[in-house]
Amino acid sequence: MSEGTEGNATLLDLLSSTPSTSAATVQTLSTQTYLPYLTSLSLPEIIAEPSKLSSESSFLTAELTNLCHAQYPTFLSLHSASIALSSSFSSFSTALSNLVEASVPELESRCKEFVKETRDIQVERRKLTTVAEQSEKLLDILEIPQLIDTCVRNGYYQEALDLSAHMDTLVDRFPNIPIIRSIQVEVSQSINQMHAQLLQMLQEPVKLPSLTKAVDFLRKMGILDEEELAVAFLTSRRSHLDGLFQSIERKRSLDPGRFLSDWIDIWREGVHQVVTQFTSIFIERSHSKAPSSTAHLPSSQVASLRHMLTTFSHTLILELINTLQEMLPKVTDSSSLSSLLTKLSYCSTSFGKIGLEFRPLFVVIFENVVVENFRIAVEHACQSLQKEVQESKKGKKLAAVWMAPADEAALPIVLPPAPNSTSSAPSNIPASSLTSYPPLAVLMNGLLTALNSLRLLPPTSVLTQLVAIMDSSLSSLSDALLDYAKYSIRRTNARASFDGAEGAAENERNVLIGMARAWYYSVWFVRRGLIEGVYGQNVEDTGDGLVWLPWEEWAIELGENDLFQRSASRRQSIDGAEPVEQHAGNAESS
């Protein structure tokens, strides 16, 4: 193959050097194509090749001639078209030159002006295009406030905080974008609503898990520090307690005992829950290993939390004591007082397990209330009889008329046994003969009612006060009865000496003597009921309580030397006076 190529090149060089052959003819494509064919022929074929070429040339000339004769219109049309095309190309070239030289620069300047004028539009268009391309992402950002608000209203606080954190990240990345700032304002409003909702949850009647959850979310929000959060917790729970107290306020005036019982129940449950909840959420968490706990708090802050709880507890205990001081005096039913004391005792014992024992604070209040109720009951009973005595004296009524019927006044009165004897008489059943004197029987009923009420709640430390109250009231009534007896005897004696009504005077004397013995028995019985029946102590250790010597002196004047069947030594030891016999002798000598 390389030899043939070298031969063709040599033949081309030879033909090019021939004077009758031009270099352009040799360099044509047809020549370069024909020479390889020619060199591939044999010698006879090469010798015959000129005649062959001459024949083909004649044949082609004849064919071309025939074609021209047959298709001359076509050739004429082609010639006309060629001339017209040449003319058109000349006109087009001229017009194009004019366009390039005149119109193109103006068009270019106009295009530049158009680009300049539409630059802002292009910028806005690119922005709109970018917005259209990022529409889904933008929609997600625009929906963040609505999503946070929905999460807050449905209680999905963690999701709301996550969305808020994502919004804070966007603000940090794009601080100068107005729409981001606007969305951040809406997000802040929703987060503030969430903060208010969580604080409101602390005021609701919810259990420890819900409160712990609310406090944890408040911690994550970072709006309040630990101490402020503790104050908010205690304030909210106190507000919840105040609401419960307010719900039973209408019972305060209707039924003080029921109101106080319900109030103590609410106080006991509410305070115990607040103390245990606060301890679990704030104090015990300081010893926890949980990441969200207050284990990182300094000891001084933990001590501050404990101080808050102590102050809160003491404030509520003080409120309990103030309420007891205000309402207990209005509770006159001893069974209600006993029930309240039992309830508070159990409550104090339970609170003692968490270091809030408060029994010594309310015991004194109950003692004062018991003493006051007893005083009111005893004074009411004694003052009722004392008023009747005064009215009878003022109205000049005989004892046989209002104290006892004449036919019943002579019934024997069962007097108390001697101090050195052993009495088997029950301390809670008075003698039936006392009914012969209805006013004294009524007095006895009133005093026994006071003792029965006291039996339900008898504080041992106030026995001395109770005895003193009873002795004081009985002593005042005793003086009134003695004064009336003396007045009635003087009046009947004076009347008997005037009209000779000795029988009426004797009857009045018998009634008054019986009344005196019944009175002595009544005093002994109620004192024995108080000291022995209620408190189980020996009544003899307190003496007779009243000074009976004036009565015995009055009786001696009437001829009754031993009105109460007491020995002289007993009267001397109790009354601190001379024996009655000496007074009787003096009375006889006088």
Side-chain angles (χ1 to χ4, degrees):
M1 179 64 69
S2 60
E3 291 179 359
T5 303
E6 292 177 358
N8 292 335
T10 302
L11 184 58
L12 286 174
D13 294 337
L14 180 62
L15 290 175
S16 298
S17 61
T18 303
S20 59
T21 305
S22 62
T25 303
V26 176
Q27 295 298 330
T28 60
L29 179 61
S30 59
T31 301
Q32 293 179 0
T33 303
Y34 180 71
L35 286 179
Y37 167 74
L38 184 62
T39 55
S40 64
L41 297 177
S42 60
L43 180 60
E45 292 175 344
I46 294 174
I47 294 174
E49 185 67 18
S51 59
K52 181 179 179 181
L53 292 174
S54 177
S55 299
E56 290 181 356
S57 176
S58 298
F59 175 75
L60 293 173
T61 301
E63 289 292 327
L64 183 60
T65 302
N66 291 331
L67 179 63
C68 289
H69 283 285
Q71 300 293 335
Y72 75 92
T74 303
F75 285 101
L76 291 177
S77 298
L78 181 62
H79 177 69
S80 300
S82 299
I83 294 174
L85 182 62
S86 176
S87 176
S88 298
F89 276 130
S90 298
S91 301
F92 178 75
S93 176
T94 302
L96 184 61
S97 298
N98 294 333
L99 178 64
V100 171
E101 293 175 358
S103 300
V104 170
E106 184 179 359
L107 177 63
E108 183 178 3
S109 62
R110 292 294 181 87
C111 288
K112 290 180 180 180
E113 292 178 359
F114 177 78
V115 170
K116 184 177 180 180
E117 292 176 356
T118 60
R119 183 174 301 168
D120 295 337
I121 299 176
Q122 291 295 328
V123 172
E124 292 296 328
R125 183 176 180 277
R126 284 194 296 271
K127 290 181 180 180
L128 295 176
T129 302
T130 303
V131 170
E133 292 174 352
Q134 304 294 331
S135 60
E136 294 183 359
K137 296 181 180 179
L138 291 175
L139 184 61
D140 292 340
I141 295 175
L142 292 174
E143 289 179 347
I144 287 178
Q146 183 179 358
L147 289 175
I148 292 179
D149 184 68
T150 302
C151 291
V152 170
R153 284 188 285 106
N154 291 278
Y156 299 109
Y157 301 119
Q158 184 59 53
E159 289 76 5
L161 291 177
D162 293 340
L163 289 173
S164 177
H166 176 63
M167 194 65 223
D168 292 338
T169 302
L170 293 178
V171 172
D172 293 337
R173 290 178 58 188
F174 311 104
N176 299 322
I177 298 179
I179 187 65
I180 297 295
R181 288 293 183 184
S182 176
I183 295 174
Q184 175 65 16
V185 171
E186 296 182 15
V187 169
S188 299
Q189 294 176 352
S190 298
I191 292 300
N192 291 335
Q193 179 183 356
M194 172 180 169
H195 184 260
Q197 187 169 325
L198 289 172
L199 291 178
Q200 181 64 32
M201 184 184 296
L202 299 180
Q203 302 181 16
E204 298 175 356
V206 293
K207 300 300 182 181
L208 177 60
S210 298
L211 292 175
T212 303
K213 178 181 177 182
V215 172
D216 286 341
F217 282 123
L218 288 172
R219 284 194 181 105
K220 291 179 180 179
M221 295 180 71
I223 298 177
L224 303 175
D225 59 27
E226 193 69 13
E227 293 185 359
E228 293 173 340
L229 186 57
V231 172
F233 178 86
L234 293 177
T235 304
S236 300
R237 299 316 294 169
R238 175 57 189 269
S239 177
H240 170 62
L241 271 178
D242 291 340
L244 295 178
F245 291 146
Q246 190 65 32
S247 65
I248 62 170
E249 190 64 27
R250 57 184 178 83
K251 299 180 182 180
R252 180 186 291 268
S253 58
L254 299 177
D255 188 352
R258 183 62 180 172
F259 166 79
L260 200 53
S261 178
D262 294 344
W263 197 95
I264 292 173
D265 288 337
I266 294 174
W267 185 92
R268 171 180 53 81
E269 183 177 356
V271 174
H272 188 273
Q273 285 183 354
V274 172
V275 172
T276 54
Q277 290 165 356
F278 186 89
T279 303
S280 176
I281 295 175
F282 293 95
I283 297 178
E284 290 183 355
R285 291 172 65 89
S286 62
H287 306 291
S288 173
K289 296 182 180 179
S292 61
S293 69
T294 57
H296 62 283
L297 294 177
S299 58
S300 59
Q301 195 166 5
V302 175
S304 177
L305 294 176
R306 294 182 183 276
H307 178 70
M308 290 181 188
L309 180 60
T310 301
T311 303
F312 179 81
S313 304
H314 288 179
T315 301
L316 288 176
I317 290 177
L318 181 60
E319 182 177 358
L320 170 65
I321 299 304
N322 292 336
T323 303
L324 291 177
Q325 290 176 343
E326 176 187 358
M327 297 303 299
L328 271 183
K330 301 178 182 179
V331 180
T332 58
D333 184 15
S334 296
S335 60
S336 298
L337 287 175
S338 178
S339 175
L340 292 174
L341 178 60
T342 302
K343 183 176 294 186
L344 284 173
S345 298
Y346 282 121
C347 177
S348 177
T349 303
S350 176
F351 275 46
K353 299 177 182 179
I354 56 177
L356 292 177
E357 172 72 34
F358 58 92
R359 179 182 176 84
L361 299 177
F362 65 81
V363 169
V364 177
I365 302 176
F366 276 89
E367 291 177 351
N368 294 336
V369 171
V370 168
V371 171
E372 182 63 18
N373 289 344
F374 183 79
R375 182 190 64 79
I376 293 174
V378 171
E379 288 183 354
H380 175 72
C382 293
Q383 288 175 1
S384 297
L385 180 55
Q386 187 171 350
K387 182 179 179 181
E388 188 175 0
V389 171
Q390 292 173 352
E391 291 178 352
S392 298
K393 180 180 177 181
K394 184 178 180 180
K396 299 180 180 180
K397 294 181 181 180
L398 297 177
V401 176
W402 69 274
M403 177 57 71
D407 56 344
E408 296 183 0
L411 292 177
I413 299 298
V414 180
L415 294 178
N420 56 357
S421 65
T422 303
S423 175
S424 60
S427 61
N428 60 336
I429 302 177
S432 60
S433 58
L434 194 61
T435 58
S436 301
Y437 301 89
L440 294 181
V442 173
L443 171 67
M444 180 64 69
N445 287 335
L447 295 177
L448 289 181
T449 299
L451 293 179
N452 288 332
S453 298
L454 181 63
R455 287 179 63 251
L456 298 174
L457 186 60
T460 57
S461 60
V462 299
L463 174 58
T464 304
Q465 299 180 50
L466 299 179
V467 172
I469 290 173
M470 177 171 284
D471 288 347
S472 175
S473 297
L474 294 177
S475 178
S476 178
L477 179 57
S478 180
D479 293 341
L481 287 173
L482 179 59
D483 183 64
Y484 172 79
K486 292 179 179 180
Y487 164 77
S488 182
I489 288 295
R490 289 195 304 268
R491 183 172 177 273
T492 54
N493 290 338
R495 184 175 181 181
S497 62
F498 179 75
D499 57 8
E502 298 292 341
E506 182 64 23
N507 183 55
E508 182 71 9
R509 173 185 177 279
N510 292 336
V511 170
L512 292 174
I513 293 297
M515 179 196 73
R517 291 178 176 174
W519 171 242
Y520 177 76
Y521 171 81
S522 300
V523 172
W524 172 86
F525 183 84
V526 294
R527 295 186 80 253
R528 180 169 177 256
L530 172 61
I531 300 171
E532 293 185 2
V534 177
Y535 284 94
Q537 299 186 18
N538 189 0
V539 68
E540 299 298 337
D541 294 340
T542 61
D544 282 1
L546 274 65
V547 178
W548 296 104
L549 183 57
W551 280 94
E552 292 179 339
E553 292 177 345
W554 167 78
I556 290 172
E557 293 178 359
L558 298 181
E560 293 289 337
N561 295 333
D562 196 2
L563 175 64
F564 304 129
Q565 300 176 4
R566 303 191 303 170
S567 64
S569 60
R570 181 185 180 194
R571 291 197 300 271
Q572 186 177 17
S573 63
I574 293 177
D575 296 334
E578 298 178 357
V580 176
E581 289 77 6
Q582 296 180 5
H583 288 278
N586 293 335
E588 292 175 356
S589 62
S590 62

